[in-house]
DNA sequence: TATTGTTATACTCTATAACTATA
DNA sequence: TATAGTTATAGAGTATAACAATA
């Protein structure tokens, strides 16, 4: 509680408190959502990281492993193990790029495509928003959209 | 894109799509927020899990380790290592409960109390909401509050 | 017998550094 | 020499199972 907020109805202290409260709640809600998603990934036989790796792959746009690492914002070395598991599960295939034999292109298989569609459903599961009306959901979406608009804040770690 | 949403302006398909989009955005935003928080925890010399353990402790209400595990929703066995690190850092003390010598009560030290206040600031940092007006922040807070109201969804894993 | 904290252990996730095969 | 993928390795985080002390 700042001094200004004790005296005014809408000072800068209020903004900070409101926003802080919103941030803490959002993080808390997201943790609950992710926990639920992780359970459903496990039911599909996938660990969370493997599921998210598959989700990042566009079935219609084969990608070198290097780019997948970039999209996942993790080191190249991790991608090897993730793709190993996806390949063992028959969801992805590695193909050497004839144009540059150093590169390996990642192809989503038919089974991979179907699993990926399930993953999209899991990640879009909105049971936890059940308490909101459709109008409120639309509003929430708009606000969160506006927050992360103009250059996706998740990628703003340029160091 | 469902069939119904192709023909109507506000069918049930729209609700599901809106909500799914909102959910994915919220998870994405929260990941960005947590990433930023983790960096600041590191600057305080704490790993994310240790920081969150300290944050869960109420300096005015000493807690047995068993209850901390429950609040963190993790196994008792993890708490041992987390409290080890907090104790080494001089932020928490273990005290055998005279009433039940099996229990060890966790006391937040003076230094722990100050660090915990810093953690609260870090967890309330709303720089990522900068694009919103104060009214929008208030609305966002209200909506997220409503979602997680009536029994905190993060704890709804009764199995 | 049941419970608290602990230990031993294992698995997932992620990072760094060194290696290989290409370019 | 630079880059793509890999390997080896290490640390954080979390879970299960077994154990000691206490109830």
């Amino acid at each position: 509680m700042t001094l200004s907020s004790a005296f005014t109805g809408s000072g800068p202290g209020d903004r900070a408190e409101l926003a802080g409260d919103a941030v803490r709640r959002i993080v808390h809600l997201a943790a609950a959502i992710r926990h639920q998603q992780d359970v459903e990934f496990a039911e599909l036989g996938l660990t969370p990281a493997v599921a998210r790796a598959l989700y990042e792959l566009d079935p219609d746009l084969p990608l070198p492993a290097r780019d997948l690492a970039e999209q996942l914002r993790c080191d190249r070395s991790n991608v090897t193990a993730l793709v190993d598991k996806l390949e063992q599960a028959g969801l992805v295939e590695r193909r050497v790029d004839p144009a540059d034999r150093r590169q390996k292109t990642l192809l989503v298989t038919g089974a991979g495509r179907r699993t990926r569609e399930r993953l999209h459903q899991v990640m879009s599961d909105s049971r936890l928003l059940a308490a909101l009306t459709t109008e409120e959901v639309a509003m929430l979406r708009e606000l969160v959209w506006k927050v992360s608009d103009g250059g996706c804040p998740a990628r703003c770690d340029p160091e």
Side-chain angles (χ1 to χ4, degrees), chain A:
Chain A
M1 180 72 73
T2 64
L3 227 130
S4 68
S5 73
F7 290 122
T8 75
S10 62
D14 267 2
R15 152 94 195 196
E17 272 175 53
L18 279 175
D21 192 40
V23 162
R24 292 193 305 273
R25 280 268 160 182
I26 288 168
V27 169
H28 192 254
L29 172 61
I33 292 171
R34 288 198 51 155
H35 178 267
Q36 181 192 273
Q37 290 178 354
D38 289 353
V39 169
E40 295 177 52
F41 293 155
E43 287 167 6
L44 292 171
L46 301 174
T47 65
V50 172
R52 293 191 174 96
L54 175 57
Y55 186 69
E56 285 297 324
L57 291 175
D58 183 343
D60 299 318
L61 197 108
L63 211 66
R66 172 78 176 82
D67 293 2
L68 176 57
E70 200 171 312
Q71 279 177 224
L72 291 171
R73 280 179 288 282
C74 76
D75 193 85
R76 285 193 301 284
S77 59
N78 299 311
V79 172
T80 298
L82 295 175
V83 175
D84 279 351
K85 285 179 195 129
L86 287 172
E87 208 168 27
Q88 282 161 28
L91 304 173
V92 161
E93 278 177 27
R94 273 187 255 236
R95 197 74 59 83
V96 174
D97 182 348
D100 181 346
R101 295 183 46 75
R102 289 175 303 182
Q103 283 188 181
K104 289 185 186 168
T105 303
L106 305 177
L107 295 172
V108 178
T109 65
R113 188 184 290 260
R114 287 188 293 277
T115 299
R116 197 174 161 282
E117 276 161 19
R118 284 285 301 118
L119 293 180
H120 185 76
Q121 289 172 3
V122 169
M123 292 185 185
S124 305
D125 185 331
S126 55
R127 267 176 293 174
L128 255 35
L129 301 188
L132 302 184
T133 67
T134 299
E135 285 69 31
E136 288 171 328
V137 169
M139 176 79 74
L140 176 60
R141 174 180 166 280
E142 195 116 345
L143 289 171
V144 185
W145 189 277
K146 185 174 178 188
V147 167
S148 41
D149 217 14
C152 168
R155 319 206 59 179
C156 285
D157 42 333
E159 225 80 39

